[in-house]
Amino acid sequence: MKFSFKNDYSEGCHPNILQALLSTNFEQQAGYGEDDYSLEAKKLIKEKIKSPDSEVFLVSGGTQANLIVISAILRPYQCVISATPGHILNNETGAIEATGHKVLSIETADGKLRPEDIVPVLENHSNIPHQVMPKLVYISNSTELGTVYLAKELEELSNFCREKGLYLFMDGARLGHGLTSEISDLTLEKVAELTDVFYLGGTKNGALIGEAIVINNEDLQQDFAFNIKQKGALLAKGRLLGIQFMELMRDDLYFDLAKHANIQAMKIKNAMKERGVQFLADTYTNQIFPIISNELIKILSENFEFFVWKKIDEKSSAIRLITSWNTGDEPVQRFIEIIGREL
Amino acid sequence: MKFSFKNDYSEGCHPNILQALLSTNFEQQAGYGEDDYSLEAKKLIKEKIKSPDSEVFLVSGGTQANLIVISAILRPYQCVISATPGHILNNETGAIEATGHKVLSIETADGKLRPEDIVPVLENHSNIPHQVMPKLVYISNSTELGTVYLAKELEELSNFCREKGLYLFMDGARLGHGLTSEISDLTLEKVAELTDVFYLGGTKNGALIGEAIVINNEDLQQDFAFNIKQKGALLAKGRLLGIQFMELMRDDLYFDLAKHANIQAMKIKNAMKERGVQFLADTYTNQIFPIISNELIKILSENFEFFVWKKIDEKSSAIRLITSWNTGDEPVQRFIEIIGREL
Amino acid sequence: MKFSFKNDYSEGCHPNILQALLSTNFEQQAGYGEDDYSLEAKKLIKEKIKSPDSEVFLVSGGTQANLIVISAILRPYQCVISATPGHILNNETGAIEATGHKVLSIETADGKLRPEDIVPVLENHSNIPHQVMPKLVYISNSTELGTVYLAKELEELSNFCREKGLYLFMDGARLGHGLTSEISDLTLEKVAELTDVFYLGGTKNGALIGEAIVINNEDLQQDFAFNIKQKGALLAKGRLLGIQFMELMRDDLYFDLAKHANIQAMKIKNAMKERGVQFLADTYTNQIFPIISNELIKILSENFEFFVWKKIDEKSSAIRLITSWNTGDEPVQRFIEIIGREL
Amino acid sequence: MKFSFKNDYSEGCHPNILQALLSTNFEQQAGYGEDDYSLEAKKLIKEKIKSPDSEVFLVSGGTQANLIVISAILRPYQCVISATPGHILNNETGAIEATGHKVLSIETADGKLRPEDIVPVLENHSNIPHQVMPKLVYISNSTELGTVYLAKELEELSNFCREKGLYLFMDGARLGHGLTSEISDLTLEKVAELTDVFYLGGTKNGALIGEAIVINNEDLQQDFAFNIKQKGALLAKGRLLGIQFMELMRDDLYFDLAKHANIQAMKIKNAMKERGVQFLADTYTNQIFPIISNELIKILSENFEFFVWKKIDEKSSAIRLITSWNTGDEPVQRFIEIIGREL
């Protein structure tokens, strides 16, 4: 079996989670998220973000989190603004539109949004009432390209949104990776302060399933649970989500796991960089996009699984390598050895 | 801690499932339901239903299964027919309507639908195009009242639906309990033969989460997976669902668990019946609705948790008791003893 | 050609409207409701209701008005309460559900809703967040059965709704008929004061098309125009709607037309009543539901068109007769003569 | 009052229509499109397109036609492909998304779509089931930029769509102008042959309201009327639409009106061209986009109303001039005179 660098959800979950599932299995607990573990997980999250008035809701996956948050917040005629690689734009089978809302796409170099990217969109949507009303800015951190928001960037975007009456929503499917990136100066606390809503992704960072939606804007908290139930996301055995986030939040497991994934990716990145390899983007999280020759792709493919991401020219393509909380040193070493040998 | 008869999702999952999660945890597997376990689970289900051309899709919960199936099948102007206690009608926060479809409600004595219940609904919807078009009959087995469909009843309903061009969809959140009821002569194979779509509920029968949607009508299979993704129900780590159904389907664990729950409920029912207790409905699955005095409710409440379901008169109410795959003999005995002592 | 008592939209429009269309036809006017006539019509309506802060929006038809108002007001998990004969429940092809909202049905004797009808619905929807949240009470005046709300009834309902946090929306497809009924003590001004939203129906009272939505609750006014455009209801030549309501509102044409229709119906009603005919409901607007023998139905059918509404027994049925702003004395006299001859 | 070249819906309707409304006003007719005039209009349209098996449905406006057709045809996970200027993309307040469907945007030079524009979109949507499925190609003729499809272009596009299993839908809000353009070699008959659905726009070509949806693909005809009612587009007095299309289709009034509008626009275009004016696009219908100096814009604005469409540089902008069925020679002459004097 070849080792896979295809994604960060190839393995099960961190052993602590399985252990907790085992040790609590026969306890009778309340259903629908009212169990002790869900309550404890929410408490831990609110402590970590130092925002006691935020509300936390646990759901199963990222597409689910995105569609519930967006459809709960927007009025029928309001729309979302997203950078072009935004997960909601191209990888969720039109989940947002299926709830009735348009997603406007903004082309940016690095998958991040800045106020100056949004200004022309607002200007081009002034023909009231013939056009949708932009109302929510959707960003991902780390982004779908592996880039991250610096504190100053998020502050500027947040200020801009508040000034323009736009909600700011951060997709945190890989928030752990974003925040523990070696170049990140952003903290979880700061994220809670600067966004209206964000979520902590569990699925791609050591959980079996689970994203923790955090609603910081109190106006958006009311009745939110109804939306979760209506979209089929309220698990009868909510303990499954509660136990996972309780374990991930205990000590700093969540961040330790993400950091590990980042470090493994950086080892490969640095090894390739030293040998002169170019990258599609200069990323510092668990996703890297090296541009290599078709021959090298062929050789690597004999030992590893990964996606060929983008054809660059007749002779070379960018590949995508993703490491996870569980990527050991062995496959990383082996990968680096082949690089060393071939380049 | 009082023992709870409130529902069948108070505990975790059958130990075999946790064991399988543990033993497979570090294997790298494909995402989004393409893992080996999901494939194996689907194979086992198709073997059990003896319907190799059916298609199986694994999702997280009942509301999710209901809204995905119904919205995938119906055209915008078509609607659902359900008996009044139908879960989709009153317990899913308008999940079906949120996908655009009306649910027509038919009052029946036992929560089951028969052709004669449906005929007048069809007759009253003949003012084309001013009314919704009834197109899908939604039934639950066991029903929300704990009653079950006999083979002959399902056959008649199925024939009627085919004749009238209606789809027949069985909510199987408690299908195990329905089929293993002591009075049931229906088999899983027969269910597959007589319905267009049904699902095998895992959440209420020993899984942590999970319902296995089975599409028997080949016209309805095409492109179904798109709907699962769009509604946020496609788990990145689909293995979580696959492993659970693989374990539940192995041997007859799924049916053994349901049968156990039914037996525990019947013990209580029979003990109460012997002492002259009346029931809201004559049920033979894991839900019973005894009518008892307010005093007895008070005494029982000191030892057990359960729902007071319906006020009967000033002195008495029906309570709802639900047993699960994990309800042991001790609480059942203790409950029966109190009954014996008090009545 | 037989004279038709089938409905109140069999003829074109009041001649004043055609005259105004002719005399203004070649003027260039702004599009999308910004024309002088629409502005004038809105001004006249606000004067008549003595509510200068209300906002008026003109749309084409009743189903359109209903779906736009309801989908604009409600959050995704909120639902509507309607009496069983409510037009939105059974005569609009699921238009409300198609926008995502459930409509709860309450059986009442006369098609009107009273606080005591609504109380149990609220009580039965307290299982948060598993059930839809009732939020909007939909009533029609006159109702689909031809009955009307008295001032005291509407006051009580309005007070109840405000106390319970429910919006009150009046479908006024036949509001003219309701207010000019000989038994009505309600005024247009009072309607504006007691409802959050209502509309003045033009289509069934002398216009070619058109309903004037009046939003009294200022919280509901914001951005409303977006919803009209999004649902395809914003006419490029909004002048067509403006001119019609300008003419209907000038002097009291709107009420004169409705009163005429009511009077013609009452003539028939009284003639039948004198001869001992029973009615399905005791109505005082332009819809009457006399119960007559099958033989008489046959005889009348030779001269008139009307709907046989409801079978009463083997020998008799209720028929529905509707008069309009344009129903002349001749057919009414002829109908009464036949009644006189046959009964 | 300045003469307006802002749009083609500034005036009322062709006098023949008003005359017909007058002469038929007091006839009692069936409601909901079953009146004699609607039947006659549909018959005339089917004759003109020489496609007896097509089905015709009359609705009020373009946004309404677009949202009904698209939501009726597509399954929830399917999406639309449109050129960037497509009316549904940017001028209908997200009406299509509000019915649940994404609209993919393709940048093209002239607002027209060709197979080579669509191929990469299909290629980029092959990650099943994570992406929406492109299923319907939406084009406008004339386009929103005033350009037209030639017969060969439409044939190629139609063949491509059929080969790829895509539906082809033509927005014909300005179909008359497209077909009567001096450079068009396309016929109405050909349009019916090459598209699955199209509509004949009345609102912008001499009617008060009204678009005639023509469904050529028989698979798409079934139950279509339900969608019209559900979206609030079924007029009780359908005669209003029937009479208008009956008059427009009689002889060739519809085409005569469009041709007149085109000719008036071409007079202005040619006069400007002779004086060296450049145009944003080389159009041959009733919309022209001359690029002129800010000074000239100022001078023209003293006499005429029109939109300044796009800033070209500091000194000049493109303006949009639209002529209509009713644009007389006087304002055109006057406009040309000013041009002659100033350039």
Side-chain angles (χ1 to χ4, degrees), chain C residues 13-23 206 243-244 247-248 250-251 253 325, chain D residues 25-26:
Chain C
C13 62
H14 189 272
N16 286 7
I17 289 172
L18 284 182
Q19 200 46 55
L21 287 173
L22 268 170
S23 68
I243 287 167
Q244 293 184 93
E247 290 303 320
L248 289 173
R250 201 195 292 284
D251 306 323
L253 182 60
W325 62 277
Chain D
N25 190 50
F26 293 108

Side-chain angles (χ1 to χ4, degrees), chain C residues 100-144:
Chain C
H101 302 284
K102 192 184 190 78
V103 186
L104 297 172
S105 169
I106 303 184
E107 200 82 52
T108 70
D110 55 5
K112 297 197 283 183
L113 285 180
R114 292 167 187 84
E116 58 264 36
D117 301 318
I118 299 173
V119 167
V121 173
L122 299 184
E123 285 172 0
N124 289 332
H125 283 81
S126 56
N127 186 17
I128 297 168
H130 296 263
Q131 296 181 291
V132 283
M133 177 195 282
K135 189 67 185 174
L136 184 148
V137 172
Y138 166 93
I139 57 173
S140 305
N141 190 34
S142 62
T143 70
E144 294 77 5

Side-chain angles (χ1 to χ4, degrees), chain B residues 259-270:
Chain B
K259 198 171 194 173
H260 171 82
N262 288 347
I263 287 171
Q264 299 302 72
M266 288 304 103
K267 284 181 194 165
I268 297 175
K269 178 185 171 188
N270 292 333

Side-chain angles (χ1 to χ4, degrees), chain D residues 108-128:
Chain D
T108 70
D110 55 4
K112 297 196 283 184
L113 286 180
R114 292 168 187 82
E116 56 266 35
D117 301 317
I118 299 173
V119 166
V121 173
L122 299 185
E123 285 173 359
N124 289 333
H125 284 79
S126 56
N127 186 17
I128 295 168

Side-chain angles (χ1 to χ4, degrees), chain B residues 19 55 68 96 103 110 121 165 190 203 214 231 253 269:
Chain B
Q19 201 45 57
E55 288 264 19
I68 290 171
I96 306 309
V103 187
D110 56 4
V121 173
K190 202 85 188 160
T203 309
V214 182
K231 302 308 186 209
L253 182 59
K269 178 185 171 188

